[in-house]
Every structure is written in structure tokens, then in C-alpha cells.
Amino acid sequence: MLKAFKYRIYPTKTQIQLIEKHFGSTRFLYNYFLDYRQKEYAKGQKVNYMTTQGKLTELKSQKEYEWLNECGSQSLQMALRELDNSYQRFFKQLGGYPKFKSKKNNHQSFTAPQNIKIENNKTYLPKFTKDGIKTKFHREIPKDAILKQATISRTNNQYFISILVDDNIPTPKPIKAKNAVGLDVGTETLITTSDYVKYPNLRHTKKYEQKLKKLQKALSKKQHSRKKGDTTPKSNNYLKQLKKVQKLHTKIYNSRKDYLHKISNEITNQYDIICLESLNIKGMVKNKRLSKSISDVAWSEFMRQLEYKASWKGKTIIKIDKWFPSSKLCNECGCVNSELVIGQMSWVCPSCGETIDRDYNASKNIKEEGFRILSEELAC
């Protein structure tokens, strides 16, 4: 199986400069060839990865772009591969149209596809072979694992490396199912299971909202460049305050992710079949009243964790249609309450008179619909 191990790294000042050059160069190439492909497609020309790779060789030979040679050539090629994969996902209707990358984004990254070495608590990559990058290996990589590629990233002034390995362990076959569960996600209660277990929404953003507001207010008062094109360096006080804001954002992000890891581990350990809804989260976030709450609960991240952990453990994930009326359908008699509104956490069935807990009722309906889908698949 392919697994990724993510670690915090502590590069020197010289290494940070080289890492930032890689970020800038790969981002530039991604945007440059995104623009190139758009223009070629408009002319009716076909463009693929090999086309852009040939153009990259021409680009690096030009004096105007000779600075590209300071970075690892394979990392530059991986930027083109990433762009091509984005287009392939778009053509297969698995994702949206590729977007230009911004240097203002707090998350930046580049990938080294080979020649990775780990030794003496350091990671050695192309262009970083002399001293290696100091790495905190809090988890041990299996001894027989094959190092496939490494991705260095920066999030809020912290640097990380994600090492993709092949652990030489076959992907487990689906185990014989003994139990199943339906999951309903929400904003009031994060997750409600069909066994009537409720995982509360800890509201990580709201918990630190006032502190974050105070830090951001102080940041807004610090001297920094405001005019477009102004190259005046930001003041030291501004940079110090910015680090405080970024540090709190990182704390919120880590707290949320850790909580989701604990829940997804517990569910994938306990159940063999896991049924959940396919949600249009991007569309739901456009709702101004719910966007902040939906972003805070991070449903996409939870589902991503469930899927890869289930595949590691031989468990089965079943996704039901997003238009299935799980909340409006009475699990007792099958009556559909079309008048149910958002925020109404309980309702009385107009047909059988049963008082219904909205989330628990939805989780039971999701489980039953999941069984129906599974039985159809097995019949085929």
C-alpha cells in the first residue's frame, strides 16, 4: 500500500531560501503553462504533458528564465505533471477547471519524485544533498518501505515534508462484514450514528474567535505596504504580529484535524460497513448563513480520512445520493415531511405521530439506503 508520512522540518536560513525558490519556480511554471494551454485550446490545438515538457526545456535555455536552473529539474517537471493531472480530472468530471496559483496563499509546496534519502534525523533531496534538512521523525517509517516521493510544504511559516512510501504490504481485501453504521453529519452535532452515538461539534474557530479578532486588530494597526506595487518592506512589528496570527490559525487547524482523526479512527475500527451522504460541500459553503459553520466542521477532511483509513483496514464505504431525503423521511412509516426546514432538530411525523430526532432519524435512513445500494451491487 502507498502511505504518506508527514513530518515537521527545520531548514536553515540558506535552505529556506532554496525552498522558497522551489515554491516560486513551480508556482510560476504551473501558472505559465496553464495560460499556455488555455491559449492553445482556444486555437483548437491539443496539449498534453509531453508538449509542456518540451516547452519547459526551451524555457530554461532562455536567458530571461535561467533562474529556473537553480531548482531541481524533476521538481519543475512535477509542476507540469500536477497541471496535467488537474486537466485530466476536469475532463473526467472529477474536479473543477484548474485555477491559477497565488503567492499570497499560506500553503505552498513542491515535490521531489525520487532520489530521497533518510539518515541521522535528516532528509536528503535533490539540491539538498550536502547537509540534508533536519526532520522530526515522530513516527517510524517501515524498514522495508520504498521511498517513492517527497513533498515539502509551508503553512503559516512552518515547514513540513510528506514522504510517500510503498510499505510492501498488499492492500487488504474487504473483510467479512459483521456490523454497519449510518453517519449523518451536521453543524449542531458534528456526527450522529445510527447507533445513537453523537460526536459533538467542538467549534474550534468559535473557541478562539475573540483571541483571533484581537490579534488581527493589532495586526491591522502595524505599519505595512498597502498600495499595489509598493515594494516597501513590511516593518518588523508587522511581521512579529503576523506570526502570532498565523500561529493561532495553525493551532485551530491542528485541533480540528486531531479531533477528526480520533473520530475517524474510532469509526473505522468499530464498523465494517460505513454509510454516509455524498454532499455538495462547495455549493453549501456559498450559503452566507452557514458558510462559517460548515468550514469549521471540515466535512470534506473527515470524509477523506474515513475513506483512506477504511481502505487500509479492508472496510467498506458506501455513499448515498446527495438528493436522498434522509432528514425528511420518517424511518418508522416512510412518510416524507416536505415542510421540514433547516435548523429544526426534531419534528412530529404527520402520518404516524412519532416524535423524531432529525439527525438520528437521518443516520438510520442513510444506513438502510446504503444497504439497498450494496444489495444492488452484489446482485449485479
Side-chain angles (χ1 to χ4, degrees):
M1 291 187 292
L2 293 177
K3 289 186 177 181
F5 294 81
K6 189 174 182 179
Y7 304 106
R8 178 86 181 270
I9 58 174
Y10 299 88
T12 62
K13 289 184 179 180
T14 304
Q15 289 173 340
I16 287 175
Q17 289 179 352
L18 185 54
I19 288 172
E20 292 294 334
K21 282 182 181 179
H22 277 76
F23 290 158
S25 298
T26 53
R27 184 180 62 247
F28 165 77
L29 288 176
Y30 185 95
N31 292 339
Y32 180 90
F33 283 103
L34 174 55
D35 179 65
Y36 170 77
R37 291 180 76 143
Q38 288 177 345
K39 290 177 180 177
E40 291 300 303
Y41 287 142
K43 297 176 186 176
Q45 300 293 324
K46 290 184 178 181
V47 183
N48 56 25
Y49 168 71
M50 296 305 296
T51 308
T52 55
Q53 191 180 36
K55 290 289 181 181
L56 173 59
T57 305
E58 295 177 12
L59 205 65
K60 290 169 69 176
S61 64
Q62 297 177 22
K63 190 174 182 180
E64 184 182 356
Y65 300 108
E66 60 183 7
W67 45 270
L68 288 171
N69 294 292
E70 297 176 21
C71 301
S73 59
Q74 292 176 341
S75 295
L76 301 181
Q77 291 170 11
M78 285 300 292
L80 308 186
R81 181 71 70 184
E82 181 187 352
L83 175 61
D84 190 65
N85 290 338
S86 297
Y87 267 107
Q88 294 305 319
R89 287 195 299 271
F90 171 71
F91 293 144
K92 294 176 183 177
Q93 297 184 343
L94 298 175
Y97 191 82
K99 295 180 180 180
F100 289 95
K101 292 187 176 184
S102 172
K103 64 180 180 180
K104 295 180 181 180
N105 195 321
N106 284 330
H107 180 83
Q108 301 288 336
S109 67
F110 76 90
T111 300
Q114 57 184 23
N115 298 326
I116 306 152
K117 184 181 176 183
I118 295 173
E119 197 175 77
N120 300 324
N121 291 324
K122 288 186 177 181
T123 306
Y124 297 84
L125 305 172
K127 296 292 183 179
F128 298 91
T129 54
K130 185 178 179 181
D131 300 319
I133 305 171
K134 184 181 177 182
T135 309
K136 186 176 181 180
F137 291 101
H138 63 279
R139 286 190 300 161
E140 186 177 353
I141 294 177
K143 293 181 180 180
D144 297 330
I146 301 170
L147 306 184
K148 305 291 286 185
Q149 68 179 37
T151 299
I152 289 183
S153 61
R154 168 173 53 78
T155 304
N156 294 336
N157 284 336
Q158 293 183 354
Y159 292 87
F160 301 90
I161 186 166
S162 179
I163 302 174
L164 182 69
V165 306
D166 184 345
D167 60 9
N168 281 320
I169 300 173
T171 303
K173 295 179 180 178
I175 63 175
K176 187 176 180 180
K178 295 179 181 178
N179 50 29
V181 69
L183 304 180
D184 179 66
V185 295
T187 54
E188 291 298 322
T189 302
L190 178 59
I191 299 157
T192 304
T193 76
S194 54
D195 290 340
Y196 205 65
V197 176
K198 295 198 174 191
Y199 295 93
N201 179 7
L202 299 187
R203 304 181 188 279
H204 300 280
T205 302
K206 192 171 183 179
K207 181 179 178 181
Y208 297 99
E209 190 173 29
Q210 292 304 316
K211 186 176 181 180
L212 185 61
K213 190 181 292 185
K214 186 177 179 181
L215 290 174
Q216 288 175 328
K217 186 176 181 180
L219 179 66
S220 67
K221 295 180 179 179
K222 304 298 180 185
Q223 181 181 354
H224 67 291
S225 302
R226 289 182 179 273
K227 295 180 181 179
K228 188 175 182 180
D230 189 354
T231 57
T232 306
K234 296 178 174 62
S235 68
N236 288 331
N237 286 335
Y238 177 86
L239 295 175
K240 287 178 183 178
Q241 188 63 27
L242 179 62
K243 284 184 178 180
K244 291 180 181 179
V245 174
Q246 291 176 336
K247 188 176 180 180
L248 185 56
H249 274 298
T250 302
K251 184 176 183 179
I252 295 169
Y253 171 80
N254 290 340
S255 300
R256 181 189 299 118
K257 202 165 185 180
D258 178 67
Y259 183 51
L260 295 177
H261 272 300
K262 289 174 180 175
I263 297 173
S264 56
N265 262 330
E266 185 174 315
I267 290 173
T268 51
N269 285 337
Q270 190 173 352
Y271 299 102
D272 301 327
I273 298 176
I274 303 164
C275 309
L276 63 156
E277 290 177 292
S278 301
L279 299 175
N280 179 19
I281 297 172
K282 285 187 178 179
M284 296 170 75
V285 169
K286 293 178 182 178
N287 186 321
K288 294 181 180 180
R289 293 182 179 180
L290 298 174
S291 59
K292 192 173 182 180
S293 299
I294 293 172
S295 298
D296 192 25
V297 290
W299 290 333
S300 295
E301 174 62 18
F302 172 68
M303 292 174 183
R304 185 189 73 85
Q305 291 182 14
L306 267 185
E307 287 179 5
Y308 79 73
K309 289 176 184 178
S311 67
W312 287 356
K313 300 170 185 177
K315 307 299 177 74
T316 302
I317 296 283
I318 302 174
K319 289 189 175 182
I320 69 170
D321 189 83
K322 61 184 176 182
W323 301 114
F324 177 71
S326 57
S327 298
K328 298 180 178 181
L329 180 66
C330 175
N331 187 257
E332 296 295 328
C333 68
C335 174
V336 177
N337 182 6
S338 57
E339 297 181 358
L340 187 65
V341 295
I342 294 174
Q344 187 177 345
M345 302 313 296
S346 63
W347 53 281
V348 177
C349 178
S351 178
C352 66
E354 185 77 16
T355 301
I356 294 172
D357 180 315
R358 179 185 183 130
D359 295 340
Y360 178 47
N361 176 71
S363 64
K364 290 192 291 181
N365 287 329
I366 291 169
K367 180 181 176 180
E368 291 181 4
E369 178 67 7
F371 276 148
R372 187 191 65 80
I373 295 171
L374 183 61
S375 61
E376 285 184 357
E377 291 176 353
L378 293 174
C380 295

